[in-house]
Amino acid sequence: MIEVEGLTKYYGPRCAVEDVAFRIETGEIVGLLGLNGSGKTTLLRMVSGNLLPTSGTVRIQDRDLYQHPEEAKRAIGFLPENPPLYGEMTVGAYLRFVGQLKGVRRNEIAERVRQVASGVAIEEVSKEIIEHLSFGYRQRVGIAQALIHDPELLLLDEPAAGLDPVQIIEMRQLIRGLRGTRTVILSSHFLSEISQICDRILVIQEGRIVAEGPEEKLAGRFSPGLKLRLQARAPRLAVVDCLSTLDGVDTVECTREEADQSTFVIALTYDMREQMCTVLVSRGIGILELTRLDRELENVFLQLLEKKTPSATLPEAGEKEAAA
């Protein structure tokens, strides 16, 4: 869907984005994670075609964004950090207006407005004046304007900024609903949003991509192996004796012991959960809970920024557990 190579932007002597390169496949939701001032917004503005780079290329579906901007931009929907809304217009009138600006055929505009309003759940406010809407609804209208011309690539710059907890959950569900039907780049410094929505993460620091990959692979760079929480219906010593005989079990720490059950934190050298469960059950030990305890994304993010590591591409991975 999108391929970026050598993207660089200078403001006078200051380099805001330096030699950024990445590739995103069709249908992926990718998080752009970085502190305020790290270059996220500048990068998205260049990828959307709203800001010319000092050097570098952006290709959207094999079309060069800067050499063939009209063709490439048809595939892009962009929600800036401050949505381009006209507060005096009604939601419906505004979306029809934006549809005309973005080249939607006149005889198709009404249907496109109906579709995007349904998709982002704003049908009930379609006749409301935009400036009378809550902040959460205005953000939804901003996403609707980005989707009105049915783009394949959606760029969202801090879509959850300023939302309350309920609105954040609604926004998260909305973006998740785009998986598979749109390619999405989501910029944020909300670590939980990136963790719970995105398939892959690009970490940007001081204008450079310092790490790239799925969350669990980024965590694995600093916390190799696997940690589990086990709650078992058995005395502490029975569980410790059973697990201490297994290759791959590094440590077994009992964190709570009651009359008929115990809770443990177990460190594994590699993922051997299936074998471990088989052995426990064969010894008559009942497993009440087994939970993976991966390192939280917050800690990984802070370590990445402290280390200022060079860019590293990490392979795809399977199942992940979202950080709280």
Side-chain angles (χ1 to χ4, degrees):
M1 175 58 67
I2 178 171
E3 187 171 4
V4 173
E5 293 183 359
L7 207 58
T8 299
K9 180 64 179 179
Y10 278 89
Y11 292 106
R14 185 176 72 85
C15 185
V17 172
E18 183 178 2
D19 196 28
V20 166
F22 58 85
R23 180 186 178 94
I24 297 175
E25 300 298 332
T26 300
E28 277 192 291
I29 298 182
V30 174
L32 183 62
L33 180 62
L35 299 173
N36 289 330
S38 61
K40 302 188 304 295
T41 294
T42 298
L43 179 57
L44 284 186
R45 289 178 64 197
M46 289 191 289
V47 171
S48 69
N50 286 278
L51 179 67
L52 285 174
T54 304
S55 60
T57 61
V58 175
R59 297 186 65 83
I60 310 292
Q61 294 178 323
D62 291 330
R63 298 184 184 93
D64 190 297
L65 177 61
Y66 307 122
Q67 293 184 9
H68 306 285
E70 289 189 9
E71 293 180 17
K73 286 183 180 181
R74 290 193 186 101
I76 301 173
F78 183 36
L79 174 67
E81 188 171 3
N82 298 309
L85 306 180
Y86 292 93
E88 70 278 9
M89 300 180 75
T90 66
V91 171
Y94 169 73
L95 292 179
R96 289 191 293 273
F97 171 64
V98 173
Q100 292 174 351
L101 289 178
K102 296 189 176 183
V104 179
R105 293 178 181 177
R106 188 176 296 272
N107 62 346
E108 297 176 354
I109 286 181
E111 178 61 17
R112 282 301 302 157
V113 170
R114 187 195 65 79
Q115 289 175 353
V116 298
S118 174
V120 301
I122 56 173
E123 308 103 311
E124 63 185 48
V125 298
S126 62
K127 295 182 181 180
E128 298 287 335
I129 302 295
I130 290 176
E131 66 181 9
H132 296 165
L133 299 178
S134 69
F135 189 85
Y137 268 117
R138 290 200 297 272
Q139 287 292 90
R140 288 173 179 266
V141 174
I143 292 181
Q145 66 80 27
L147 290 170
I148 191 69
H149 59 301
D150 198 23
E152 291 92 343
L153 174 63
L154 194 60
L155 308 176
L156 306 177
D157 191 3
E158 303 282 1
L163 299 184
D164 64 36
V166 173
Q167 292 170 337
I168 288 175
I169 292 172
E170 292 173 345
M171 182 65 67
R172 182 188 307 153
Q173 293 171 342
L174 193 160
I175 297 171
R176 280 176 176 166
L178 299 172
R179 177 174 279 110
T181 63
R182 298 285 191 280
T183 303
V184 181
I185 302 179
L186 168 67
S187 163
S188 182
H189 58 266
F190 287 104
L191 305 177
S192 60
E193 293 311 295
I194 292 288
S195 174
Q196 296 182 45
I197 294 174
C198 299
D199 305 311
R200 190 157 54 93
I201 300 169
L202 304 175
V203 181
I204 185 170
Q205 180 190 20
E206 297 179 354
R208 295 182 62 88
I209 301 296
V210 296
E212 176 181 352
E215 177 192 340
E216 60 271 20
K217 286 297 182 180
L218 293 178
R221 293 175 60 177
F222 302 101
S223 182
L226 189 67
K227 276 194 174 182
L228 307 172
R229 180 172 60 244
L230 169 68
Q231 187 178 14
R233 191 176 298 281
R236 175 179 61 86
L237 290 178
V239 175
V240 172
D241 289 345
C242 177
L243 295 181
S244 62
T245 64
L246 299 179
D247 291 334
V249 176
D250 290 338
T251 60
V252 180
E253 177 187 355
C254 182
T255 59
R256 184 175 182 180
E257 185 176 12
E258 298 177 353
D260 62 341
Q261 60 184 259
S262 305
T263 303
F264 304 85
V265 172
I266 303 166
L268 305 179
T269 305
Y270 57 91
D271 190 354
M272 49 165 294
R273 286 173 289 178
E274 185 175 356
Q275 301 95 303
M276 187 181 75
C277 290
T278 299
V279 172
L280 288 170
V281 172
S282 70
R283 297 281 188 91
I285 296 173
I287 300 173
L288 303 178
E289 178 186 350
L290 184 66
T291 305
R292 181 170 177 167
L293 300 175
D294 285 334
R295 176 170 295 214
E296 292 184 348
L297 182 58
E298 284 87 348
N299 294 333
V300 176
F301 181 48
L302 290 174
Q303 289 201 35
L304 284 168
L305 296 187
E306 287 173 2
K307 289 178 177 293
K308 298 185 179 181
T309 52
S311 179
T313 301
L314 298 170
E316 294 296 332
E319 179 184 4
K320 77 174 182 178
E321 178 182 62

